[in-house]
Amino acid sequence: GRQKIMSLSESLSSSCDGPWSPFGLCSSPPLQKRKHTFSSPNSRDRFIPCRGGLDRAYSNYLLEAQSEEQDSESTPAKQDYLNTIKECVLKSNGTDQILPFRCPPPTTPTLADLCQEADVSPLPSGSPGLKRRKTTRFIPKSPDKILDAPDLVDDYYLNLLDWSKSNILAVALRHCVFLWNAGTGATQKLLELPQTDAAQTNIVTSLAWGDQPGSHTLAIGTHGAEIQLWDVSAGRQVGGFNEHRERWLGSAEGISSHISTSMRTREPPRVSSLSWGGPVLTSGSRDSWIHHHDVRQRGTVAQLHGHTQEVCGLKWSPQCTQLASGGNDNLLNIWEARRNQPRYVITRHQAAVKALAWCPFQQNLLASGGGTADRRICLWNTGNGQCLNEVDTKSQVCAVQWSVHDREFVSSHGFTHNQLILWRYAGGGRVHKIVELTGHQARVLHMAQSPDGTTIVSAAADETLRFWRILGSPTRSAARLKVEHSSRDLLGAGFIR
């Protein structure tokens, strides 16, 4: 047994050339860790993917798609189908990676992106290339509310509707004036004119709210050629002017020679138009005269004569530097604030000029509308008297109102379509029709705008008032306006008195 052990050790020592070590026969010392020397601090021995910009769902799809393509047969038609799904659903451009090794660089916004965020066009409207972004405002085709207005006088030359800055609507119904609070829905009868004959001809012929901040003064013109000033908050009359009536009677000193005997036998010259220019109230009458009344002095400060027939349209500019007057003599006159002669006498219209409106965002821009024989809306540069453009509306133009939030205006019409039209002003006199609104059964004689600039109220000869929420709002989105409109009782008609 001892010989076998010795022979075994000899055979092992002969097959092992290395020296003996405490780790055992023919054993090598354990491998030491390799030391790496880096040539630069940025060099690496392997890549570590960056998961910050990784789309895990899409990466999983790529892995599964590769395995499915290896297991199933791929035909050209099937491959085209898969590529179509990949482009449409996953928005892939063929360069996506499963494990990106660095975050993608930030993209630089283009000029079109910056202009879209700012809601402007990078090029002029007539230039090729980028297009102007379209408006997405919701415009309802039906009114928000309808009020019955019995005894509303059907007369094109009168002005019987106005909306105050304190959100109170005033409407004249024959010889009475009613107030409707748009915030509470309450109705109040302000006055009833006394009647001197059985025919009750002494009716209200014009209305105009004072334009001063916090003003509660309402000016009222009558068929008897009188002007009354009412403090609505107190519910009482605080003043008035009778110069038109005195001229008609010939009692004013120094002017009786201008009144003929035949004029004294006719009806008094009704006050058919009123307009405020700060503390100055301007009135137009059937006697063809225009009077400036200063409510601080309680008297007439100027008398203008530039028409030969009834003055049915009056409007001061927002800066109170120019006055536009329209008459039944088909004339449109532009007056300077401190001159007694018109600066421009315009004869372009072929019918009575009642509809007048100054642009709130562009100085010296005036819109005027003509009657049945004219049917045109003209845009004027009152700085030089030039007509920028004219549009044939195919209907009698009764009133015009500019939007205070957008470059738009609304026109109301009579014969023959009795509609409202919303227009977009594109600059340089160019206008584009946006939408036509129908619903009135007779000509739409008057319009007024809410103090927040979002709603137009129209008064028609069908003895109804309709409220149209068609103008833009700076605080409400299109979706919110649509929800509010659908939740209202649109046909919930009420009475103004």
Side-chain angles (χ1 to χ4, degrees):
R2 184 176 181 182
Q3 292 180 353
K4 290 181 180 180
I5 293 173
M6 292 295 294
S7 60
L8 179 60
S9 65
E10 290 177 356
S11 62
L12 290 174
S13 60
S14 62
S15 62
C16 181
D17 296 334
W20 179 89
S21 70
F23 300 103
L25 295 175
C26 297
S27 298
S28 300
L31 295 175
Q32 298 181 359
K33 295 183 179 180
R34 298 177 60 184
K35 297 181 180 180
H36 299 276
T37 59
F38 298 100
S39 58
S40 64
N42 295 328
S43 61
R44 294 177 175 83
D45 60 336
R46 63 191 182 95
F47 293 102
I48 300 177
C50 175
R51 292 179 173 81
L54 177 62
D55 188 347
R56 298 179 184 273
Y58 181 60
S59 300
N60 184 37
Y61 164 78
L62 290 178
L63 291 174
E64 293 180 356
Q66 292 176 1
S67 60
E68 291 178 0
E69 290 178 359
Q70 293 176 359
D71 296 338
S72 60
E73 296 181 359
S74 178
T75 62
K78 185 175 181 180
Q79 189 63 34
D80 293 341
Y81 174 72
L82 293 176
N83 292 337
T84 303
I85 294 180
K86 182 178 178 182
E87 294 176 359
C88 297
V89 179
L90 300 175
K91 308 296 183 184
S92 173
N93 56 6
T95 61
D96 300 275
Q97 299 177 355
I98 298 179
L99 295 177
F101 296 107
R102 60 177 57 87
C103 295
T107 58
T108 303
T110 62
L111 178 61
D113 297 334
L114 296 176
C115 294
Q116 186 174 7
E117 293 179 2
D119 197 13
V120 298
S121 174
L123 296 176
S125 57
S127 303
L130 298 177
K131 296 182 178 180
R132 188 182 297 273
R133 198 172 71 171
K134 296 183 178 179
T135 303
T136 58
R137 189 177 84 248
F138 171 69
I139 301 176
K141 299 295 183 62
S142 57
D144 268 5
K145 190 176 185 62
I146 302 175
L147 295 178
D148 288 334
D151 293 333
L152 184 70
V153 178
D154 183 8
D155 194 324
Y156 174 79
Y157 303 99
L158 306 186
N159 294 272
L160 307 178
L161 185 70
D162 201 10
W163 205 332
S164 73
K165 294 183 179 180
S166 56
N167 207 19
I168 298 178
L169 182 69
V171 57
L173 302 180
R174 201 160 181 82
H175 55 275
C176 300
V177 174
F178 289 88
L179 305 178
W180 183 74
N181 191 317
T184 63
T187 304
Q188 173 190 354
K189 182 179 180 180
L190 180 65
L191 66 90
E192 182 176 354
L193 295 178
Q195 302 301 310
T196 58
D197 56 355
Q200 297 185 351
T201 58
N202 190 22
I203 63 174
V204 178
T205 53
S206 56
L207 292 173
W209 285 99
D211 58 359
Q212 297 295 312
S215 175
H216 299 281
T217 303
L218 178 64
I220 300 172
T222 70
H223 188 273
E226 296 177 345
I227 300 173
Q228 299 181 9
L229 298 179
W230 282 74
D231 185 351
V232 174
S233 59
R236 61 186 179 89
Q237 184 177 350
V238 294
F241 305 99
N242 297 318
E243 280 75 11
H244 288 288
R245 185 175 183 85
E246 291 175 357
R247 175 179 292 277
W248 173 69
L249 294 174
S251 60
E253 184 179 357
I255 62 173
S256 59
S257 59
H258 296 283
I259 306 299
S260 63
T261 304
S262 61
M263 182 177 292
R264 293 190 183 96
T265 60
R266 293 200 301 262
E267 293 182 338
R270 62 186 183 184
V271 180
S272 51
S273 56
L274 293 169
S275 181
W276 287 87
V280 176
L281 173 64
T282 301
S283 60
S285 174
R286 183 181 276 177
D287 61 6
S288 72
W289 283 82
I290 298 173
H291 290 180
H292 292 324
H293 314 277
D294 194 330
V295 297
R296 299 168 299 183
Q297 301 178 8
R298 302 293 181 181
T300 301
V301 295
Q303 300 178 0
L304 313 178
H305 192 247
H307 294 273
T308 59
Q309 296 188 35
E310 183 173 13
V311 181
C312 54
L314 276 179
K315 192 68 66 175
W316 277 100
S317 65
Q319 299 79 19
C320 297
T321 57
Q322 290 182 318
L323 173 69
S325 65
N328 194 29
D329 52 4
N330 307 345
L331 293 181
L332 170 62
N333 290 337
I334 307 298
W335 308 78
E336 297 294 339
R338 299 184 180 275
R339 296 182 60 183
N340 294 337
Q341 296 296 326
R343 181 178 179 182
Y344 298 108
V345 178
I346 301 172
T347 61
R348 194 181 189 94
H349 287 287
Q350 304 301 318
V353 182
K354 176 195 173 187
L356 298 172
W358 293 89
C359 179
F361 54 81
Q362 183 173 333
Q363 193 174 5
N364 297 334
L365 178 58
L366 174 70
S368 64
T372 305
D374 184 74
R375 304 179 303 180
R376 292 176 297 174
I377 294 178
C378 296
L379 298 175
W380 304 93
N381 181 352
T382 59
N384 55 19
Q386 179 184 0
C387 181
L388 302 177
N389 190 13
E390 65 176 32
V391 181
D392 187 1
T393 64
K394 310 298 183 183
S395 296
Q396 177 188 44
V397 183
C398 300
V400 175
Q401 287 281 338
W402 284 90
S403 171
V404 297
H405 301 307
D406 298 295
R407 300 171 68 88
E408 299 171 352
F409 65 89
V410 185
S411 59
S412 67
H413 302 269
F415 305 118
T416 56
H417 300 298
N418 306 324
Q419 83 277 34
L420 280 76
I421 303 179
L422 179 62
W423 306 85
R424 186 185 310 282
Y425 180 70
R430 296 170 298 155
V431 295
H432 307 289
K433 183 187 297 186
I434 299 177
V435 66
E436 288 194 18
L437 304 171
T438 58
H440 283 291
Q441 303 303 315
R443 53 181 179 174
V444 187
L445 297 169
H446 318 287
M447 281 198 308
Q449 188 173 167
S450 63
D452 63 356
T454 62
T455 304
I456 289 290
V457 57
S458 58
D462 59 5
E463 298 185 349
T464 62
L465 304 179
R466 297 173 186 257
F467 296 80
W468 311 84
R469 197 178 184 85
I470 56 176
L471 300 181
S473 172
T475 58
R476 299 188 180 185
S477 62
R480 183 175 177 183
L481 288 175
K482 188 173 184 178
V483 171
E484 289 181 357
H485 180 78
S486 62
S487 63
R488 283 191 173 94
D489 185 11
L490 301 182
L491 298 181
F495 289 88
I496 198 67
R497 68 173 186 181

